[in-house]
Every structure is written in structure tokens, then in C-alpha cells.
Amino acid sequence: MKALAAGIGAVFLSPLLIAGTGMTLAASAEAVQTTGSVSNCLTDIDAGKVADQVTKILDGASGEEVRVEGLDLPTEQIPHAQTIVATGISLDVPKKGQIIALATAMQESRLRNLNYGDRDSLGLFQQRPSQGWGTAQQIRDPVYASERFYKALLAVDGWQQMTVTQAAQAVQKSGFPDAYAQWEPLATALQKAIAATFPGNSDSSGKDTGAAAPSGCSTQDGSQYGPIPEGAVPTGYSIPKDADPRARTAIDWAMHQLGTMYQWGGSCTAPHGPDPMGRCDCSSLMQQAYAKAGIQLTRTTYTQVNEGKAVSVKALKPGDLIFSRGTAARPEHVGMYMGEGLVIEAPRTGRPVRITPLKDWDVLAARRVL
């Protein structure tokens, strides 16, 4: 397999070197300018379609015949992705490691073998000769660059329990540590499609050990906080800075009601007051929290499930309403997603307003009301 990876690298690297510097300098400038910008997560990747397009490229199709969301130059980018996966297979790196490598290269170079970058950064992973990654010539060799990335990744203690973005950042130490997450869905689809082209690797290479942590791009499940005492804010949580300001206002107001007791039918207009009917039930907590942000919601869970627009639970944003119990059309409970895999809710009689991990929810529907 080592020879396989080296052979692939030689085949796909040579045309780039022969092509001259003009095109790669332009590509480099574009990639470096966009490195710090996190685009919208590619949450709706169709793995089957990606596999079809990857096969076309590897069978010699032109770029005009291939369309892969997230890849502007597939005839250049897919072969580099193949090199990264092949190198991972040759080193017996688990599937998750290959996905991390692909997501890293997508963010750092857009899967282009750049001869330009920030300071002395070069190649697929924008590795720096001055930081001990190798000589400039070595780093421009996609097989060498992939091997060096994998070796650094495997040296990170506990990398398989990290999110893709955490593991990538542990290796890269980027100034934009959250940017890798956006590429995980596409990296996952590419890894699966490319690994299937190698004999004996119809699903993935290597053996995954350790549970995959949730991605920073797909929704986290809150398990990283462990048990959360009722009425408490988990240590380390803060409202995400990139949340919509109205969502921040709603979440902040709801958090000020933590520890107040649930009251079915309560208006949530005076949760800390002596009148039980001023306390919150699940839907009045949502209504009053968003009222403080200038957004009017209807009063009941049954009607709030029709507010705003439907969103995938895999792409939740802070402030989204999530629904459980009953049915998707007529849910009986609602909470507000806070980011970081956490939900604030007024749960039921005898329980206070609290924060719970998303993993404890059987989500029937999710709505974005902003």
C-alpha cells in the first residue's frame, strides 16, 4: 500500500509541477485569502452523488462533466484527495483520521498543491519549512505532506475522541481554529467514495477505535459537559459569539430563569415572583424569551411548531426551537437550542428551568424563528 500511495502521488503531482507557476500562484492567492473565512456548513452533501462524480474524475472525465458542491476545480482537487486517502490507507490510519486530513487540506489549500501561502506555508496542508515540516520541495510532494500530517495527528493524545476541528487544530495550530468543521460532511463523502476504489477498502481503511466526537459543523450533543446539575450553567459554556444577536438576547433571558419551578399554563411573566401562574411552562419560556428580543411567538407548543421555518437537527443554530414528545405534527414539549449541544427548557411539574444536553432529547422537529 505504501507503494500505491507513492505511485498515486507521483502521477498527480507531476502535472502540477510541469504546468508552471502562473496558475498555481493565482490559486494560492485565492486560497490564502479565503482561509480565514468560514463558509456555510455543507450539511446537505449527497454521498451517492459525490461518489458518482469522484468515479468520473478518476476515470478521466473533464471538469466540465463533473460537479461537486464545495470543489471548484474537481479535476485538480479530487486526485489530491485520493492521494491523501491512499496515504492514510498505506499508514493504516483509521477512517476518521483520513476525514480529518481531508477536511484540513480543504480548509488550508482547498485541496490544491500550493507554492504560496501565509509566510512560508506551502502545499496541501500549508506546512511551513521553518516549523520543521520538511524542506519546501518535500512539502510540495503530496505524499510526503500527507505522511507528515498523519504522523503529527497520530501523535496527538486522544485525537479519536476529538471533533474533526479539534483534532485538525491540534496539528495545525491555525489562527482560525473553528474553520475546519465546515468541511467535515464533504470530507466524509470523499473519503467513503475514494476508499471504495481501493481493493479491500470498500467502506474505509483501518479500524476505527474510540467513539467519534460530534463535529463543530454538525450539531454537537452536549455530552462533553457530563452531568449537568438542575438549574446550573455547565462549566465552560457561554453563548456563542457568532449567534444571531436576537438569539443571544433570548438565550440570555431564558438563562436568568434557571432554577425557577415549572408551572403548567404559567405565563412566564414573573418567574421569580410569588404567584405560581407567573412562572414558566415550556412554551411560555420560549415565548417570553423571544419577546425580550422583539420577536412575537404564539403561546403553545402545538402552534410554535409551525413558527419560522423547519431546519435539520444536524444544522441547529443557537436560538432554534426543538420539539419532542407526542408527534412531529403535534409535539408536547419545546426547548431552545443554546449552541454547544445544550438546550434550555422548562421540563415538567416538579422540575425547575434547566439546561440539558441535546443527546437526552428525542427531537421530532426543529424550527428557526429568526
Side-chain angles (χ1 to χ4, degrees), residues 12 16 76-84 111-113 124 142:
F12 292 124
L16 292 174
E76 179 181 349
Q77 294 162 312
I78 288 175
H80 287 318
Q82 187 186 43
T83 299
I84 292 170
L111 280 172
R112 299 170 185 173
N113 190 29
L124 290 173

Side-chain angles (χ1 to χ4, degrees), residues 119-356:
R119 288 168 284 190
D120 59 336
S121 300
L122 297 167
L124 290 173
F125 298 92
Q126 289 291 280
Q127 295 156 334
R128 298 179 60 192
S130 65
Q131 299 299 309
W133 287 96
T135 66
Q137 183 178 7
Q138 287 174 322
I139 291 171
R140 291 290 317 288
D141 176 342
V143 174
Y144 173 89
S146 299
E147 288 180 343
R148 289 289 285 114
F149 178 85
Y150 283 127
K151 289 176 181 178
L153 174 66
L154 295 175
V156 174
D157 186 36
W159 69 268
Q160 292 199 59
Q161 283 70 50
M162 296 179 180
T163 64
V164 167
T165 196
Q166 287 169 341
Q169 175 62 7
V171 175
Q172 298 294 104
K173 298 177 174 60
S174 168
F176 304 95
D178 299 322
Y180 303 104
Q182 63 186 309
W183 301 107
E184 182 179 357
L186 179 56
T188 301
L190 283 176
Q191 189 281 333
K192 182 176 182 179
I194 292 170
T197 67
F198 295 120
N201 288 280
S202 58
D203 181 42
S204 66
S205 76
K207 295 181 179 180
D208 285 316
T209 58
S215 164
C217 183
S218 59
T219 302
Q220 293 177 284
D221 69 0
S223 59
Q224 70 271 28
Y225 289 104
I228 304 171
E230 285 193 334
V233 178
T235 301
Y237 172 80
S238 60
I239 302 173
K241 294 181 179 179
D242 60 351
D244 186 295
R246 295 165 296 177
R248 290 177 60 85
T249 297
I251 294 169
D252 179 71
W253 188 87
M255 289 174 66
H256 279 82
Q257 317 319 316
L258 286 169
T260 61
M261 295 304 293
Y262 175 97
Q263 175 61 52
W264 186 85
S267 66
C268 203
T269 53
H272 297 271
D275 182 0
M277 296 311 294
R279 298 173 192 165
C280 309
D281 65 13
C282 64
S283 56
S284 65
L285 178 63
M286 303 300 105
Q287 183 188 49
Q288 293 303 317
Y290 264 114
K292 299 302 183 288
I295 294 175
Q296 299 302 311
L297 299 182
T298 51
R299 173 62 183 85
T300 70
T301 303
Y302 304 137
T303 54
Q304 287 176 1
V305 75
N306 297 312
E307 302 272 5
K309 64 179 181 180
V311 294
S312 168
V313 71
K314 295 181 179 179
L316 292 176
K317 291 184 178 181
D320 287 347
L321 304 183
I322 63 172
F323 299 84
S324 67
R325 306 175 196 164
T327 67
R330 192 172 174 80
E332 298 173 359
H333 187 55
V334 62
M336 185 184 298
Y337 185 65
M338 303 170 62
E340 303 295 328
L342 299 176
V343 183
I344 191 165
E345 61 169 345
R348 61 182 183 275
T349 301
R351 295 293 184 183
V353 174
R354 65 185 182 182
I355 294 172
T356 52

